Amino acid sequence: MDLGLTGRVALVAGGSSGIGLACAKEFAAEGAHVAICGRDPDRLAAAERELAGVAKGRVSASAVDVTDADAARRWVDGVAADLGAAHVLLVSGGSPPIGPATLFETADYRAAVDRVLLPAVGLALAALPHLRAAGWGRLLFVASETAAVPIAPLLLSGVTRAALVRFAQGLAVDLGRDRITVNVLAPGSVRTPPMERAAARLAGDGDVEQQLAAMGHHSALGRLARPEEVAAVAAFLASERASFVTAGVHLVDGGASATGPDLPHLTGVRKDTYA
């Protein structure tokens, strides 16, 4: 399937590892020129080498702290000037701390907004003049399943991702007549470096692979997602083929949201057990 990305210019914020890097590689393999940014120079260098191995167009990597709105805008403007345009912006990034609503102080909520929501807002607003000038654009935000499903222990994620959804939907209405679509990806549990580190901590001296398998057991497919599976959805949403898809929140959770709460004591029970 030709996704119509050949020659397009795609910017991926948070593109040095995990889902962001997988999306950048997907865009590059489809023929787009790809610019990524991140904060860790070593990860960026490694990611740039990976991109060069699959790219059909130009690739670049820049050290940028996207919580610095001015630095983020300079990166967007610089890429557009260097490559002649900007067509796709995908924003991926970290997650706020885990915990229930009462665990956090007001400052923690403010910090989560500053870390998750405002960088995405700033990057999108910086990209808009370039997308409008191109007469075609795609804005993609990688959020979390908490954008669509309430998960109490992931309260800060839910607060910030729900706000991001409303921002994206407002943009979609404003930009639709400019041939710019806006979508949110809501992945569930994905085998990324942070997930692997968490599994290693939980496993202790035990089997890390077994711990990872347990972390993905709740999905309908019974496993964690691979980053490239999320990236495949992103590539479609960034494509010409998805020209009528906008303002959506797209769960990529292996059906976890449909399985209901993870209740091991109910697994395999007879239908009359609780009659």
Side-chain angles (χ1 to χ4, degrees), residues 1-3 5-8 24-34 50-59:
M1 181 187 296
D2 181 5
L3 296 182
L5 289 174
T6 299
R8 300 289 190 189
K25 290 171 68 175
E26 195 78 19
F27 296 156
E30 289 292 332
H33 307 297
V34 177
E50 283 194 50
L51 285 173
V54 299
K56 298 175 183 177
R58 294 175 60 185
V59 300

Side-chain angles (χ1 to χ4, degrees), residues 11-15 35-38 64-79 86 88-93 114-131 138-142 164 167 171 175:
L11 292 80
V12 180
I36 63 172
C37 77
V64 180
D65 180 357
V66 297
T67 64
D68 181 336
D70 291 335
R73 181 175 294 277
R74 286 194 298 270
W75 174 64
V76 171
D77 291 343
V79 169
V88 178
L89 171 69
L90 181 141
V91 182
S92 182
D114 289 342
R115 179 180 179 181
V116 177
L117 175 63
L118 293 184
V121 171
L123 284 161
L125 296 179
L128 283 186
H130 303 292
L131 272 56
R138 302 286 186 262
L139 290 172
L140 299 171
F141 302 104
V142 179
L164 183 59
F167 172 67
L171 277 182
L175 302 176

